[in-house]
Amino acid sequence: MEVTGKIIAVLPLQTGEGRNGLWKKQEYVIEHDPNVQYPKRMVFSLWGEKIEMNNIQQGQYLKLTFDIESREYQGRWYNDIRPWKIESAADPAHGSSPIDGGIDAFNGAAASAADVPQADVASDLPF
């Protein structure tokens, strides 16, 4: 699934210790469809090193590609939205894309204008 919107809240970092060692989880609230009277919001989470790799800040416009997972605990069901791809998106109010390009949730590489190879314009033409 996919959603594009603005990060309206970065919730407090959660940490703990499990049988596999220390863990940390960061949750974010994204608001999409801002042109309606009651915009929709959803919470998504990142775990471990993906938190620092993506460095998501309040006010950013992002495009998330994600999976929804559900699990049962003591008779109650819980949903978890986990992005597997995070990209910068254009601010709909200004119609422009941010300078930093995109962020890949797996490798944390942020593209910039300097990272894009400059090709000869004439050689890009198909004729």
Side-chain angles (χ1 to χ4, degrees):
M1 300 184 87
E2 196 173 272
V3 67
T4 301
K6 180 180 180 180
I7 301 298
I8 60 167
V10 177
L11 303 179
L13 181 68
Q14 302 171 36
T15 60
E17 188 168 349
R19 61 184 134 151
N20 295 330
L22 296 173
W23 57 266
K24 57 184 169 178
K25 174 183 172 182
Q26 183 79 57
E27 293 180 317
Y28 308 87
V29 180
I30 189 167
E31 181 177 77
H32 56 98
D33 205 5
N35 298 323
V36 297
Q37 184 175 2
Y38 303 106
K40 303 295 183 204
R41 297 175 179 152
M42 67 180 210
V43 175
F44 68 93
S45 56
L46 295 177
W47 291 81
E49 62 189 31
K50 291 181 183 178
I51 298 168
E52 288 85 22
M53 286 190 313
N54 290 292
N55 191 27
I56 296 173
Q57 303 295 318
Q58 188 168 333
Q60 275 185 298
Y61 284 86
L62 299 176
K63 177 179 165 185
L64 304 177
T65 307
F66 59 92
D67 291 325
I68 299 175
E69 299 176 15
S70 296
R71 65 189 181 290
E72 183 267 336
Y73 179 71
Q74 297 183 347
R76 293 196 59 180
W77 284 87
Y78 300 89
N79 291 324
D80 195 16
I81 298 171
R82 292 200 184 179
W84 50 271
K85 184 176 182 183
I86 301 173
E87 301 172 290
S88 292
D91 177 347
H94 298 97
S96 63
S97 183
I99 295 172
D100 66 310
I103 304 168
D104 184 330
F106 287 111
N107 66 22
S112 69
D115 295 331
V116 178
Q118 299 300 317
D120 182 12
V121 174
S123 67
D124 284 342
L125 297 175
F127 49 88

Short mmCIF file of all heavy atoms in Angstrom, two decimals, residues 97-103 109-121 124:
data_model
loop_
_atom_site.label_atom_id
_atom_site.label_comp_id
_atom_site.label_asym_id
_atom_site.label_seq_id
_atom_site.Cartn_x
_atom_site.Cartn_y
_atom_site.Cartn_z
N SER A 97 9.30 19.78 -5.01
CA SER A 97 9.85 18.64 -4.30
C SER A 97 11.01 19.11 -3.42
O SER A 97 11.75 20.01 -3.80
CB SER A 97 10.35 17.60 -5.30
OG SER A 97 10.81 16.48 -4.63
N PRO A 98 11.18 18.51 -2.24
CA PRO A 98 12.31 18.88 -1.39
C PRO A 98 13.64 18.59 -2.07
O PRO A 98 13.72 17.74 -2.95
CB PRO A 98 12.14 17.99 -0.15
CG PRO A 98 10.73 17.53 -0.19
CD PRO A 98 10.33 17.53 -1.62
N ILE A 99 14.68 19.25 -1.65
CA ILE A 99 16.00 19.11 -2.25
C ILE A 99 16.61 17.74 -1.98
O ILE A 99 17.30 17.20 -2.81
CB ILE A 99 16.95 20.21 -1.70
CG1 ILE A 99 16.46 21.57 -2.15
CG2 ILE A 99 18.38 20.00 -2.14
CD1 ILE A 99 17.17 22.74 -1.54
N ASP A 100 16.31 17.13 -0.84
CA ASP A 100 17.04 15.93 -0.44
C ASP A 100 16.66 14.68 -1.22
O ASP A 100 17.22 13.63 -0.98
CB ASP A 100 16.87 15.66 1.06
CG ASP A 100 15.45 15.32 1.44
OD1 ASP A 100 14.54 16.05 1.05
OD2 ASP A 100 15.25 14.33 2.12
N GLY A 101 15.77 14.71 -2.18
CA GLY A 101 15.47 13.54 -2.99
C GLY A 101 14.68 12.52 -2.24
O GLY A 101 13.61 12.81 -1.74
N GLY A 102 15.17 11.30 -2.15
CA GLY A 102 14.41 10.23 -1.51
C GLY A 102 15.20 9.52 -0.43
O GLY A 102 16.42 9.59 -0.39
N ILE A 103 14.51 8.79 0.43
CA ILE A 103 15.13 8.03 1.50
C ILE A 103 14.68 6.59 1.34
O ILE A 103 13.50 6.33 1.20
CB ILE A 103 14.69 8.54 2.88
CG1 ILE A 103 15.02 10.02 3.02
CG2 ILE A 103 15.36 7.75 3.99
CD1 ILE A 103 14.38 10.68 4.21
N ALA A 109 19.98 5.57 2.50
CA ALA A 109 20.69 6.47 1.62
C ALA A 109 19.76 7.59 1.18
O ALA A 109 18.70 7.34 0.65
CB ALA A 109 21.21 5.72 0.41
N ALA A 110 20.16 8.80 1.44
CA ALA A 110 19.38 9.95 1.01
C ALA A 110 20.01 10.50 -0.26
O ALA A 110 21.19 10.81 -0.29
CB ALA A 110 19.34 11.01 2.09
N ALA A 111 19.24 10.60 -1.31
CA ALA A 111 19.75 11.12 -2.56
C ALA A 111 19.80 12.63 -2.51
O ALA A 111 18.95 13.26 -1.90
CB ALA A 111 18.87 10.66 -3.71
N SER A 112 20.79 13.19 -3.14
CA SER A 112 20.86 14.65 -3.27
C SER A 112 21.21 14.97 -4.71
O SER A 112 21.56 14.08 -5.49
CB SER A 112 21.92 15.22 -2.32
OG SER A 112 23.20 14.85 -2.75
N ALA A 113 21.15 16.22 -5.07
CA ALA A 113 21.46 16.61 -6.43
C ALA A 113 22.89 16.22 -6.79
O ALA A 113 23.18 15.88 -7.93
CB ALA A 113 21.25 18.11 -6.60
N ALA A 114 23.80 16.24 -5.81
CA ALA A 114 25.19 15.88 -6.06
C ALA A 114 25.35 14.38 -6.34
O ALA A 114 26.30 13.96 -6.98
CB ALA A 114 26.05 16.27 -4.86
N ASP A 115 24.42 13.54 -5.87
CA ASP A 115 24.50 12.10 -6.07
C ASP A 115 24.04 11.66 -7.45
O ASP A 115 24.31 10.55 -7.87
CB ASP A 115 23.65 11.37 -5.03
CG ASP A 115 24.16 11.56 -3.62
OD1 ASP A 115 25.39 11.77 -3.46
OD2 ASP A 115 23.35 11.52 -2.69
N VAL A 116 23.32 12.52 -8.15
CA VAL A 116 22.78 12.16 -9.45
C VAL A 116 23.83 12.43 -10.50
O VAL A 116 24.33 13.55 -10.63
CB VAL A 116 21.50 12.98 -9.77
CG1 VAL A 116 20.96 12.63 -11.13
CG2 VAL A 116 20.47 12.74 -8.69
N PRO A 117 24.21 11.39 -11.30
CA PRO A 117 25.23 11.62 -12.32
C PRO A 117 24.73 12.58 -13.39
O PRO A 117 23.58 12.52 -13.81
CB PRO A 117 25.48 10.22 -12.90
CG PRO A 117 24.36 9.38 -12.45
CD PRO A 117 23.74 10.04 -11.26
N GLN A 118 25.58 13.47 -13.80
CA GLN A 118 25.23 14.44 -14.83
C GLN A 118 25.60 13.86 -16.19
O GLN A 118 26.76 13.65 -16.49
CB GLN A 118 25.98 15.76 -14.60
CG GLN A 118 25.64 16.42 -13.28
CD GLN A 118 24.15 16.75 -13.17
OE1 GLN A 118 23.55 17.24 -14.13
NE2 GLN A 118 23.57 16.48 -12.03
N ALA A 119 24.61 13.55 -16.99
CA ALA A 119 24.82 12.97 -18.31
C ALA A 119 24.77 14.06 -19.37
O ALA A 119 24.17 15.11 -19.17
CB ALA A 119 23.77 11.92 -18.58
N ASP A 120 25.39 13.77 -20.50
CA ASP A 120 25.33 14.67 -21.64
C ASP A 120 23.89 14.66 -22.16
O ASP A 120 23.35 13.62 -22.49
CB ASP A 120 26.30 14.20 -22.71
CG ASP A 120 26.34 15.11 -23.92
OD1 ASP A 120 25.79 16.22 -23.84
OD2 ASP A 120 26.92 14.69 -24.94
N VAL A 121 23.26 15.82 -22.22
CA VAL A 121 21.86 15.91 -22.62
C VAL A 121 21.65 15.33 -24.00
O VAL A 121 20.69 14.63 -24.25
CB VAL A 121 21.38 17.39 -22.56
CG1 VAL A 121 19.97 17.52 -23.11
CG2 VAL A 121 21.48 17.91 -21.16
N ASP A 124 21.21 11.54 -24.22
CA ASP A 124 19.98 10.97 -23.64
C ASP A 124 18.86 10.87 -24.66
O ASP A 124 17.85 10.22 -24.40
CB ASP A 124 19.52 11.81 -22.46
CG ASP A 124 20.37 11.58 -21.23
OD1 ASP A 124 21.08 10.57 -21.16
OD2 ASP A 124 20.30 12.43 -20.34
#
